[in-house]
Amino acid sequence: MIIKQLNKQSFKDISTINRAQLIDDALNLAKAGKLDYTIAFDVTSYLAHEIEYLPWRAAFTDIDYLNDMLIKTQGYDKFRVYILKLLDNVYKQVGFIDKVGDPQLTVFTRIDVLNWACDFDHEDCVMNAVQQFKNWRNTPNPDVNNPISPNLKSVVYCTAIRVGGQSEWEFAWQRYRGTNVGSEKDLLLQSLACTREIWLLNRFLDWAVTENSGIRKQDATRVFGSVSSNIVGQPLTFNYFRNKWTHLREYFGTSLSTVNNIIKSATRGISTSYELRDLMEFAKEHIDELGTATRTIQQAVERAESNIRWLGNNHGTIRDWLQRNTA
């Protein structure tokens, strides 16, 4: 009944807040195993007509979880196709360009929509992001003059670095070194982790745990967190943490929270039995050295087991639904 109502032209008869609640409830209940994902995905299908911020905000929170869980599975391409189909209309509505006088909710919607559209390789989104980054690179004195709208910096930086190569990365690195603006420094540091070049990510991790590299010791956690959020970087971070464990302990010394946060970042994406086995072998091998990190490792194992269980229970259902509902 509700699904039919949502998929009618009159879906706006249901208030914006209630539409957001329906999306959130459906996906969270499915996540908890209390609702079949077939029904939850049926609810999301109406988003192809949705342009309001709150329902999309609710959806993106849950799409983020689904993306993390499905990204290494068979049929993930269908998930991307489906989300891009849902985004098509709202992307056209908000556009890529910030307009003076846009309502704040439109600005928020645009930021979220562009982040997902570009991340899933929406052609127009990627083209615009790359062009804006190129314009910045061609600007005289780019450390002072940045033509990119502050609202769009995150998506432009990350997308251009992701689809680009070493020259884009080095340009952003120089801007990172050159700026004294804290928010810009944070944004650039996060964006540098978007590259798909494994050697650049490896070097980035190395620099994060090297004195006088240009990355402050207190920012190492952010580097590991950002690299592990990259599908290419996730296994890289996990392997780095295991192989460089002794160096990490020596470098951070008594800063136990930093080491624990790196462990959380390095293990957050574990969702296969062989990755879990590697983690458990690491824990067994270093049990006498873990100290307060023992609990963090235990939590990582529990989270990995939960992820594997979730995939076992839900992947087939989601894959079949996507197969039926994407061209």
Side-chain angles (χ1 to χ4, degrees), residues 214 218 272:
Q218 62 263 40
T272 64

Side-chain angles (χ1 to χ4, degrees), residues 141-184:
N141 197 359
D143 286 319
V144 176
N145 303 309
N146 187 338
I148 301 167
S149 163
N151 291 325
L152 302 182
K153 282 182 176 181
S154 177
V155 67
V156 168
Y157 292 2
C158 184
T159 303
I161 290 168
R162 175 169 59 84
V163 302
Q166 183 179 0
S167 62
E168 286 80 7
W169 199 96
E170 298 290 357
F171 174 82
W173 173 251
Q174 291 306 319
R175 305 292 74 75
Y176 168 78
R177 296 294 303 272
T179 185
N180 292 316
V181 179
S183 58
E184 183 73 0

